[in-house]
Amino acid sequence: MAIVINIDVMLAKRKMSVTELSNRVGITMANISILKNGKAKAIRISTLEAICKALECQPGDILEYKSDIDTD
């Protein structure tokens, strides 16, 4: 997958649990886990906005593009 979701990194930086993020954003812990584990096929802009607000970060802090082609 070319887009990586770094919610776990931001949770660690903010010293916040998945449970706390779930409560602040208003989505289930299962859905946050799907995002964390890279299993999500899509994310709503409103959900991304709520996550950014809760984690006090920018979308680019959460979303990262990685090429599928090895450059080594």
Side-chain angles (χ1 to χ4, degrees):
M1 180 152 95
I3 301 294
V4 178
I5 302 175
N6 294 314
I7 288 180
D8 53 343
V9 173
M10 291 308 299
L11 284 171
K13 285 183 178 180
R14 301 295 187 253
K15 297 181 179 157
M16 187 182 298
S17 69
V18 172
T19 304
E20 185 177 350
L21 181 62
S22 171
N23 290 334
R24 288 186 182 196
V25 174
I27 62 175
T28 66
M29 288 191 299
N31 283 336
I32 290 177
S33 292
I34 288 168
L35 289 170
K36 267 182 57 177
N37 297 326
K39 304 287 184 190
K41 300 290 183 198
I43 183 169
R44 291 178 186 223
I45 296 297
S46 59
T47 301
L48 181 60
E49 180 181 5
I51 291 170
C52 288
K53 183 177 180 181
L55 293 173
E56 298 178 0
C57 66
Q58 294 296 312
D61 296 327
I62 296 172
L63 302 175
E64 177 183 1
Y65 172 77
K66 288 197 176 179
S67 176
D68 289 337
I69 302 170
D70 272 337
T71 57
D72 293 352

